Each structure stands twice: as C-alpha cells, then as structure tokens.
Amino acid sequence: MPPFHRQPIASRRARKGIIRAVALLTGFAAALALSACGDTQVAGTSSGVDNPSLTVSFSDLSGTAMRVTGDLDVYSTNQNPAVDPEPLVTLKLKNSAFTNLTGDDFARLRQSVAKRGAKALPKHAAGGGSAVSGADSIAIDFNLVFKSQDRTGNLVIGLKYDSSARKFSGQGNSALTRLDLQPKALVRYAAKIAVDSLGDEHAGRVFVPGSPFLATLVEGSFIIEDMPEGLFPMRLIAPDGKVYAFGDSLDTKDSTRLYHALGTPVGVIDTTGGKDSLPDFTVAAGADQQAVLELTSFLEARVAGVAHTDPRLTCLWRQIQETGEAESGAPLPPPSEDTGGSPPPNTHDGRKAEIKSPTALRSEVRFPAEGVYSFEIACTYGLRVRLDTIVFSVRKLPPPAKPRIIQPRPGDSLVAEHAYNVQWEMPDAGKGLVKVQVSLNNGETWTELAEHYPGKDGLPIFPWTPARTLGISAHCLIQVTSDADSTLHARMDGAFYLIQ
C-alpha cells in the first residue's frame, strides 16, 4: 500500500492562496510562457529552485492549446483502488489551459503525515517506489489521471518527484518541467483473463495500479467503464487476496486479447500504516422467498456500514447449489395440480437460474424449472468479505380460470419516467398475442400501450415507462386483451396512482 493513504496535499483554501500568489512569484515565468493561452491558474509558490514545478498543459491532437474543465488527480504508482481509491491530491481545473504541480504540494503532504508518527512512512526502499528519506527529503513515484466533464481523459504513468534533486522526472529519469496532455474520449473496455490464471474460483478483481480503475471478474470477464485510451500495467486480485501481475499490458484498443496472469504473486492486498483502517460492514440478502415460474423475481441485498457507491465495494451473486440441493429445513413450495398434490421435484438435470446482473445488489433472476434454488452474495470491501444467502422455492401456477392483472396492484404508485413491468395471467385459450391498454379515468377511456404484443421473451410481461405527459391521476387501470379471443381480457379490480 502507498504510505500516503488519503492525505490531501493541499486544501482548497490553501490551493486558492497558491493560485493568487503565483502571478507575483516565480510562477510568473510559466504564466508568461503560456500567455498566448491567457490563463493564470497555476499552483506554484516561493522559489523555483527550492520549489520545483511541473507545468501540465492541455492541447488538441494538432498541438493547439485547449481549455479544459475537470480534475487532475495525483496517485502513487502502487495505489490499489480496492483499498485506497483516494488520490494524493486533486487539482481542479475550470476552463484552464494549464496548471502546476509543485514540490511544496508534496512537502505539505510529508508534514501532515509526520504528525501521525514516523511509522506511517517507511524508509526509502531499493528499486524505487513511494518513499521518504531523510528529515527533509521526499521521493515519490506517481501517476496523473485527468478526467473532464465532457468524458475525455488521460492517464500518464511513470512520473517521479525527488526533493533532494529538486526536480520532477519521467520514465528514464529524464528531468521534466512541462508535460503536455492531449485529452481523448474515454472508452468502455471489456476483455477476458485465462481461467488457468484464476484457480478454481474464476473470480477476483482487475485494477490498474496507481489509478482509480477497478473491475470485478465474472467467469473470467471484466469491464472497466470510462477508461482512458492507451497501454497500462494491470494487476489481478485473486479470491485469496494475493496480487498477481501480467506479462502483457492492458491495451484499450484490443478487446479480443486473452490475458494471462503471472504465476508468482507480487504481494497481497495490504493495509494502511500497518493496521486495518477500513470500516466494518454487513450484507443482508433478505428472508427466503416463494417464487412463481415464468414471473419476474429479484435477488436483492442491502449493505450497511459503507456506501453502496464506494468504488472499493464489489458484490457478486452466484448460485451456490444446483436446484433441489437446498439445505435441510429450506422451505418447499406448496403442492400444485401438476404434481398431483406433492411438492415439485428437486432435481432438474443441473440446470441453473439466470442472473441478469451478477455484480449488482439488485438483480433480476429467471428460473428454468420448479424446485429449490440457493444463492449467495459475496461483498468485498478492501480486505473484508461478507457473505449472505437466500433460498427461492419456485413453483408453477396452474393455468388461471380467468384473466387477471398481477402487476401493478391496486393502490400502487407509479412514477413517471420510471420503468415498471406490467404482468398478467391468461387461460390457455387466451395465450399468445395481446393488446395492452391504460386508463386514467377508471376505464371511461383507454389509451393503447401495445398491440399484437407477444410478451417479453415469451413471458406475460410488458415493460412500461409512463410518460410524464400522461400527468397525474389516482384512477389508473391496466387492461390486457387476448388477440385470439377478445372476450378474454384482464382488467384491474382497483386503481393505481400515477405521480410525477
């Protein structure tokens, strides 16, 4: 883990003071050099000798200076977003053509960390890496990540600041005083990792060290959203917590590549300052449920103790037992006419339920047959893993004697511009294509939502997003009429609400 865990280099107030001072001090030279841009948002202070500065400027692909609005984040090159996604510092840019990162920024970081005790910062290690050596000397390897409001960005790796040499440098230890970034469109990168790299679990996480980019593996596949274009190092966090490197770099232009993790781990998911500083949390999958075959069901869990949007939190649903292998005491569905009054069979040739969004806390699930299905959700936050299970007892309803609307139910409140599933039942004679209608005045007039509709994936479901133009009503009804027999129509026996 990087020794600079979650320590902001400069507060916004301090940074604003720096920005005001730079035009009067040595930052004037950098501002003069870029005077054609007409921008003075620089973060430099004091002497250019004692306080070296790295000017980060922005241009388009033709080299013309451009103004950007967004965040320029500084990460230690060994930061692991699974444990520490917070950058060392964030420089805010608003319609700016350049900004400066200075030695004083890193000096302030050292001073703030020193107050917590010398143990918080390790001695300088051979081979580089983030370190502090000597009372007043700072050496840190870092990356720059830029992301703008219009979804463009950059990731620059292999930078270093050395206070002893009073310089910034790039790869090859070449001195740097200026770095030009050319923002490009962010991409959604999807690829696969060879199963032989993962052991028996076929799960884990992939991350780009020194960046916020982290993805959860699902059966060897991973997706990183809003990824800058380029070639970057990548790491694999295996289910046992060991971290593996890859021989090949992550290549955003090649989504067909099959990556192979190296056989020897380079480390483990470590903690900050020699102790586990991560908060504890819990996950609950809810009570066991009854479900009806061919109708939509949901796997839904809640986490407590951490925010469900925290990038360090990853959750994964999986079916942990084949149908019919539920634990002793698991509830069985009630008898149905098709089974002669007996519970449904408990084996289905190894068929599994379909989980639509396995990495989401709420996921739609489809069952292939009657029986008992067990699921587990595993949520990982840094070093901590929390598990919970839920059991679904699935039965098939006999054909209904008459049509009926299952969803929405009387008294439900539907919000405009939010998606819902209209569900219904029809006798065998009325199955097939249907017409779906809605009334906002208790059935006096009807508005057609779908005609000759076959259902969603062959099921009696109609996905509906009420338009805001429908307005507000407390007298809404849904009606579904069979194309095969117009006398068969399911109509709600009570109204639902449509609200904005």
Side-chain angles (χ1 to χ4, degrees), residues 25 47 56 65 67 79 89 169 177 276 285 321 335 348 363-364 427 460 462 497:
L25 301 172
S47 166
V56 182
R67 293 175 175 271
Q79 272 189 288
V89 65
S169 57
T177 58
D276 186 354
Q321 295 171 317
H348 303 290
S363 177
E364 184 178 336
F462 173 67
Y497 298 89

Side-chain angles (χ1 to χ4, degrees), residues 276-296:
D276 186 354
S277 61
L278 298 171
D280 200 358
F281 74 104
T282 59
V283 58
D288 295 343
Q289 296 187 24
Q290 302 279 342
V292 177
L293 191 65
E294 297 184 347
L295 296 184
T296 302

Side-chain angles (χ1 to χ4, degrees), residues 33-45:
L34 293 175
S35 59
C37 301
D39 199 318
T40 58
Q41 184 170 346
V42 185
T45 62

Side-chain angles (χ1 to χ4, degrees), residues 183-448:
K184 299 179 181 179
L186 297 172
V187 298
R188 179 181 184 270
Y189 183 67
K192 290 181 175 291
I193 293 178
V195 172
D196 56 11
S197 302
L198 307 178
D200 296 331
E201 294 292 335
H202 299 182
R205 283 174 288 174
V206 171
F207 70 98
V208 178
S211 82
F213 304 112
L214 175 74
T216 298
L217 285 170
V218 180
E219 296 296 331
S221 299
F222 68 93
I223 297 174
I224 302 180
E225 301 284 354
D226 296 339
M227 178 79 184
E229 294 180 356
L231 292 168
F232 307 112
M234 59 188 297
R235 299 285 186 269
L236 166 69
I237 307 172
D240 59 3
K242 295 180 180 178
V243 179
Y244 296 81
F246 290 82
D248 294 333
S249 297
L250 183 152
D251 184 356
T252 59
K253 292 185 177 180
D254 187 358
S255 60
T256 63
R257 178 175 298 182
L258 183 66
Y259 294 97
H260 293 263
L262 301 180
T264 303
V266 296
V268 295
I269 301 179
D270 50 5
T271 56
T272 301
K275 64 179 181 179
D276 186 354
S277 61
L278 298 171
D280 200 358
F281 74 104
T282 59
V283 58
D288 295 343
Q289 296 187 24
Q290 302 279 342
V292 177
L293 191 65
E294 297 184 347
L295 296 184
T296 302
S297 298
F298 290 94
L299 299 168
E300 188 165 10
R302 297 181 182 275
V303 292
V306 298
H308 71 277
T309 56
D310 193 310
R312 289 168 291 182
L313 178 68
T314 57
C315 296
L316 180 65
W317 286 102
R318 66 188 183 105
Q319 187 177 343
I320 58 175
Q321 295 171 317
E322 299 295 339
T323 52
E325 296 178 355
E327 299 172 353
S328 175
L332 287 175
S336 66
E337 295 179 3
D338 291 350
T339 58
S342 302
N346 286 337
T347 58
H348 303 290
D349 303 323
R351 286 178 285 178
K352 292 186 177 181
E354 179 186 7
I355 304 173
K356 292 290 187 179
S357 304
T359 58
L361 283 171
R362 187 175 191 265
S363 177
E364 184 178 336
V365 61
R366 301 284 186 85
F367 300 103
E370 295 179 89
V372 179
Y373 297 75
S374 298
F375 300 92
E376 176 186 75
I377 185 168
C379 289
T380 304
Y381 186 82
L383 298 170
R384 302 182 184 277
V385 179
R386 297 293 180 262
L387 308 173
D388 200 14
T389 59
I390 187 171
V391 175
F392 278 76
S393 299
V394 182
R395 63 188 178 94
K396 182 179 180 181
L397 287 177
K402 62 179 182 178
R404 74 183 183 103
I405 301 295
I406 299 175
Q407 289 185 4
R409 296 166 298 183
D412 283 354
S413 294
L414 275 60
V415 182
E417 307 298 340
H418 285 64
Y420 299 92
N421 280 337
V422 176
Q423 298 185 20
W424 64 92
E425 285 184 341
M426 283 282 181
D428 288 340
K431 289 185 176 179
L433 303 180
V434 298
K435 178 168 60 177
V436 183
Q437 298 171 291
V438 63
S439 173
L440 305 180
N441 50 21
N442 271 331
E444 293 183 14
T445 59
W446 294 91
T447 299
E448 189 173 290

